[in-house]
Amino acid sequence: MIHKVTIDAVFDAARLEEVIGDFVQLKKSGSNFKGLSPFSDEKTPSFMVSPVKQIWKDFSSGKGGNVVAFLMEHEHFTYPEAIKYLAKKYNIEVEETEQTDEQKLQADERESMYLVSEFANTFFQNALHKTERGKAIGLTYFKERGFTEETIKKFGLGYSPDSWDAFTNEAIKKGYQLEYLEKTGFTIVKEEKQFDRFKGRVMFPIQSMSGRVLGFGGRILTNEKKAAKYLNSPESDIYHKSKVLYGIYHAKQSIAKEDNCYLVEGYTDVIQCNQTGIKNVVSSSGTALTSDQIRLVSRLTKNITVLFDSDAAGMRASIRGIDLILEQGMNVKVCSFPEGEDPDSFAKKNTLEELTLYLEENVQDFISFKASLLQKESKNDPIKKAELIRDMVTSISKIPDVIKREIYVRECSRIMDISEDVLFDTLAQIRNDDIKDQRKQQKKEQKPLEVVRNEVAQSPKVDEQYELERKVIEILLLYGQCEEEFEDLILKENDEGELVLEPEVHTAKVFEKIYLDLQDDEIEFANDSFKGVYAVLIAQLHQDEAFKIESFINHISPEIASEITAIMMNEERYSLHRWHDMEIHVKKKDYTISQYVSDIILNLRRFLISQKVEELSQEVKAQNMDDNQESIQDIMDYLSLKKILSEKLNRVV
């Protein structure tokens, strides 16, 4: 268990925008920040971060909360792990009591797999640095590649002993279950035998954006023809190779700072570039580039520079990835190395200044690069040249932005000496063909056509009570401890025997005013979530005169915190004019807090009276004439009260 002192220190030190900025590219938007959702695929930013309130809200997925909630959602941390991550980031010493065996057993399956991966990481590093064979074989290999001790430790490089079950036996001895050793892929189980997957390999841990070990890549050091040169962890609940990029943990801050990401092919390319001083480098780890990997980069920058190996096979594989990058709305440039070189070897031979200068002088936009590369293949063959031009236009067709498409068409026209009209016609044809293909695919996926009655589409009905209850919670959060003068309306009979509201002025705190008014009217929240939030809020406001949202949200359940975040951040997404569309009048700049509170309560009362009138009207319809006189009188009384409230609110009944 982590001591409360540590938790409080972490929340005091952590800056939400800094923490989220490590995972998502944020841009200033008024007093807030916005960015693309890290939880869904989107082109338009709907992810909002409020530094003032220290809360975030992702409107595309509905998720939200404080800094810990973000880490728990994004990195699948447990609460203690999120606190420890923040403590490490802000150099806070963690005070905790040791977990009991029972608490360890309670860790869920996914968490157990993470624990196994962390143990494996430590085991492989110890085998590299603290065993004779590890130092003689693994460490020697890394140093021959030109990696320094500092780099080897920075990237957590390791060695798996050349033994059938060294890792498996040690893991079981330490209390890790064979079930999770198999699920993470470290141990292969065949009948009653079990052996290490990565036997005799140097190890490259693959980390998430926050640094959690998800899986490994292992390189063999012998010349066995039957064994794969590189072997990756199999797919598991925590490792999906199509969704991770090697080196992203070490590169994320540099990518955001430089507003560019260098994409290479292998582990050693990333490590050597990083050691030379180019930090914003990641790799797809030898697998074909995927949309998920590109979206991972898009959280940090919109710019990718692909660094090609000089061999033809590597270039063709990378060219296929260019269209995918363009399709995701990213800006892509390319750079190839001299013949016989790759990013690893070139970075090893050159200084930071030389490498930086080479990249600056040789980087090209994808059109120029594709033209120069494919022209070598087409030479003077007109048919091949036509195919080349169509290939270039196909790449341009992937770009979502119409302005960028036009600019690249003109650039292609200039480079290939062909008219823009022809290129635009070809572009239109390709895009139309793509649309037709998409429609065909959609038809295949559609269910058989069913004849249904033609119904007129209706606009979604506004839940007025839901919106009013939500507004009450927002008032409590923003103004709960404010002391205001309230003008209460007391229902009295005048000299003519009519019901009228007479004003009485008194001073009270906002939360007291709301609590007493709702109690007097016996009003209960209809929404269960709001009911829970309201109870917790009122209790806290009673106890804490120095109530602060950011402090309050850090010490409540994630469910309630999520509801509060949604309420607090809702105003960032929608303008207040929507309330007028729904005939709910809310605070304007020239309102006082007391007017604002009174209007919301009056609106709520008016709504509930309308509901009561509707209920009584239904009863009257069901009764015979002799039995419904009392109900009719009740309806008249409620309508009279509603009229008075409407006049007070300047509303039309």
Side-chain angles (χ1 to χ4, degrees), residues 265-281:
E265 187 178 350
Y267 302 123
T268 56
D269 294 328
V270 171
I271 297 170
Q272 197 67 257
C273 286
N274 189 287
Q275 181 172 283
T276 303
I278 303 291
K279 310 288 186 184
N280 51 327
V281 186

Side-chain angles (χ1 to χ4, degrees), residues 111-125:
E111 191 52 39
S112 296
M113 294 172 75
Y114 278 123
L115 292 173
V116 166
S117 294
E118 289 295 344
F119 168 74
N121 194 31
T122 303
F123 176 86
F124 295 140
Q125 288 184 55

Side-chain angles (χ1 to χ4, degrees), residues 118-128 159-161 166-168 170 196:
E118 289 295 344
F119 168 74
N121 194 31
T122 303
F123 176 86
F124 295 140
Q125 288 184 55
N126 286 339
L128 180 74
Y159 174 70
S160 179
F167 169 77
T168 301
E170 184 64 16
D196 296 348

Side-chain angles (χ1 to χ4, degrees), residues 556-571:
I556 55 178
S557 72
E559 293 77 21
I560 293 179
S562 180
E563 285 293 336
I564 288 174
T565 302
I567 293 167
M568 294 306 300
M569 294 297 282
N570 199 50
E571 63 191 45

Side-chain angles (χ1 to χ4, degrees), residues 265-446:
E265 187 178 350
Y267 302 123
T268 56
D269 294 328
V270 171
I271 297 170
Q272 197 67 257
C273 286
N274 189 287
Q275 181 172 283
T276 303
I278 303 291
K279 310 288 186 184
N280 51 327
V281 186
V282 299
S283 162
S284 58
S285 307
T287 62
L289 191 66
T290 68
S291 299
D292 285 325
Q293 290 170 333
I294 296 166
R295 283 194 286 271
L296 197 61
V297 176
S298 73
R299 300 177 196 170
L300 303 167
T301 181
K302 296 302 268 181
N303 305 302
I304 291 181
T305 302
V306 182
L307 303 184
F308 290 117
D309 290 359
S310 58
D311 65 281
M315 283 191 177
R316 278 193 291 272
S318 297
I319 282 176
R320 286 193 292 271
I322 286 176
D323 286 359
L324 202 57
I325 296 170
L326 292 170
E327 204 168 349
Q328 294 298 317
M330 302 282 280
N331 306 315
V332 60
K333 291 186 177 181
V334 293
C335 181
S336 62
F337 290 95
E339 190 172 343
E341 300 282 8
D342 58 26
D344 177 11
S345 62
F346 194 82
K348 185 179 178 181
K349 294 174 185 175
N350 291 275
T351 64
L352 174 60
E353 291 74 20
E354 290 167 338
L355 179 57
T356 303
L357 183 63
Y358 181 86
L359 293 174
E360 287 174 355
E361 290 181 347
N362 291 274
V363 72
Q364 299 174 279
D365 66 69
F366 78 94
I367 286 292
S368 302
F369 179 81
K370 209 166 190 181
S372 63
L373 182 68
L374 298 178
Q375 270 181 326
K376 292 176 187 175
E377 297 179 4
S378 66
K379 296 181 181 178
N380 296 320
D381 187 330
I383 295 174
K384 285 187 177 179
K385 185 175 179 180
E387 289 173 354
L388 159 64
I389 293 170
R390 187 169 184 86
D391 187 272
M392 292 167 72
V393 177
T394 299
S395 290
I396 295 170
S397 74
K398 305 294 182 184
I399 301 171
D401 188 281
V402 65
I403 296 174
K404 287 182 184 176
R405 282 204 304 270
E406 182 163 342
I407 290 170
Y408 278 119
V409 164
R410 289 179 176 174
E411 182 67 8
C412 184
S413 168
R414 183 187 65 79
I415 292 171
M416 303 306 294
D417 192 24
I418 188 169
S419 79
E420 289 180 12
D421 289 343
V422 170
L423 294 181
F424 278 117
D425 287 344
T426 306
L427 178 65
Q429 180 189 350
I430 291 170
R431 288 182 64 81
N432 284 335
D433 288 345
D434 287 344
I435 291 169
K436 286 177 184 177
D437 289 342
Q438 288 172 11
R439 285 175 179 168
K440 283 180 184 176
Q441 186 61 33
Q442 286 171 356
K443 282 183 180 179
K444 283 182 183 178
E445 293 171 358
Q446 282 176 352

Side-chain angles (χ1 to χ4, degrees), residues 28 91 140 150 158 162 183 250 262 268 286 311 320 350 372 375 422 462 474 476 506 555 558 570 577 589:
K28 194 75 173 166
N91 299 313
T140 298
E150 183 184 356
D162 194 7
K183 283 183 176 178
H250 298 289
Y262 288 111
T268 56
D311 65 281
R320 286 193 292 271
N350 291 275
S372 63
Q375 270 181 326
V422 170
V462 173
E474 185 181 315
L476 287 170
H506 70 99
H555 296 91
N570 199 50
H577 75 268
K589 288 181 181 177

